[in-house]
């Protein structure tokens, strides 16, 4: 008795079915990967806000302990550039600050940092401001607008935003939380 040893190859139909299954799975995974990437970028921005808040708090404490009224711990009534310059005077390099204030979608990286080249808004908080006062937010959130988030706003559109309070806590918020100032905190004018 002779045993035939034939290797069985995939037919064209079987191959097309496998390829279509892979394509369907990939089309389901791509939005999830995009959302995870945005979430990771928002988390990095939240971490950057925390670093800027720590530096500002340290400057504020130095001003209080030394009695030096020229030190700008928090932006206060100054511009964004003046506040960032004070952080460099305290020891942060300009490159460090540029890394902390930028995010995905921001291409203008200039020193001194102007609001157009930053992913963040800094608000005019001072030492006496309450802890729930908003200190930093991503630029895609504008509480004074009728619709606080826009799909075209840099850096994150309407996918979410970061708000960081003077008291040292912050969070990543979803688009449907953009109008809830009880959750986010109160705010003052932006340091332009």
């Amino acid at each position: 008795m002779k045993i035939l040893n034939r290797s069985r190859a995939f037919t064209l139909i079987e191959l097309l079915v496998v390829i279509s299954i892979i394509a369907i799975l990939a089309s389901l995974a791509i939005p999830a990967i995009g959302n995870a990437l945005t979430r990771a970028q928002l988390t990095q921005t939240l971490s950057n806000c925390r670093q800027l808040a720590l530096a500002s708090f340290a400057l504020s404490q130095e001003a209080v302990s030394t009695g030096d009224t020229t030190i700008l711990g928090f932006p206060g009534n100054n511009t964004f550039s003046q506040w960032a310059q004070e952080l460099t005077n305290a020891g942060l390099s300009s490159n460090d600050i540029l890394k902390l204030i930028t995010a995905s979608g921001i291409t203008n990286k200039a020193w001194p940092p102007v609001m157009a080249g930053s992913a963040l808004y800094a608000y005019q908080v001072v030492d006496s401001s309450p802890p729930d006062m908003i200190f930093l937010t991503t630029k895609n959130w504008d509480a004074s607008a009728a619709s606080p988030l826009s799909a075209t706003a840099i850096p994150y559109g309407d996918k979410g935003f970061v708000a960081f309070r003077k008291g040292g806590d912050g969070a990543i918020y979803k688009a449907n939380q953009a109008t809830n100032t009880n959750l986010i905190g109160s705010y003052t004018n932006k340091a332009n």
Side-chain angles (χ1 to χ4, degrees), residues 52 55-56 58-60 62 68 70-73 78-97 111-113:
L52 289 168
S56 295
L59 274 177
S60 173
E62 182 179 339
D68 187 351
T70 62
I71 297 175
L72 309 173
N78 300 291
T79 66
F80 189 86
S81 293
Q82 289 169 326
W83 169 66
Q85 185 62 50
E86 186 66 32
L87 291 176
T88 60
N89 295 344
L92 282 176
S93 74
S94 56
N95 286 336
D96 289 338
I97 293 177
W111 187 260

Side-chain angles (χ1 to χ4, degrees), residues 7-72:
S7 63
R8 187 174 167 335
F10 287 113
T11 65
L12 180 60
I13 298 293
E14 291 170 330
L15 189 58
L16 289 174
V17 167
V18 169
I19 290 172
S20 65
I21 290 171
I22 291 171
I24 290 169
L25 291 174
S27 69
L28 294 173
I30 287 174
I33 292 170
N35 289 340
L37 179 61
T38 300
R39 191 76 172 168
Q41 291 169 337
L42 282 162
T43 302
Q44 179 62 48
T45 301
L46 180 64
S47 176
N48 291 351
C49 288
R50 182 166 281 114
Q51 295 301 316
L52 289 168
L54 286 171
S56 295
F57 184 74
L59 274 177
S60 173
Q61 292 304 305
E62 182 179 339
V64 169
S65 65
T66 62
D68 187 351
T69 58
T70 62
I71 297 175
L72 309 173

Side-chain angles (χ1 to χ4, degrees), residues 119-132:
L120 303 173
Y121 282 132
Y123 291 81
Q124 293 179 326
V125 298
V126 294
D127 285 332
S128 60
S129 297
D132 70 335

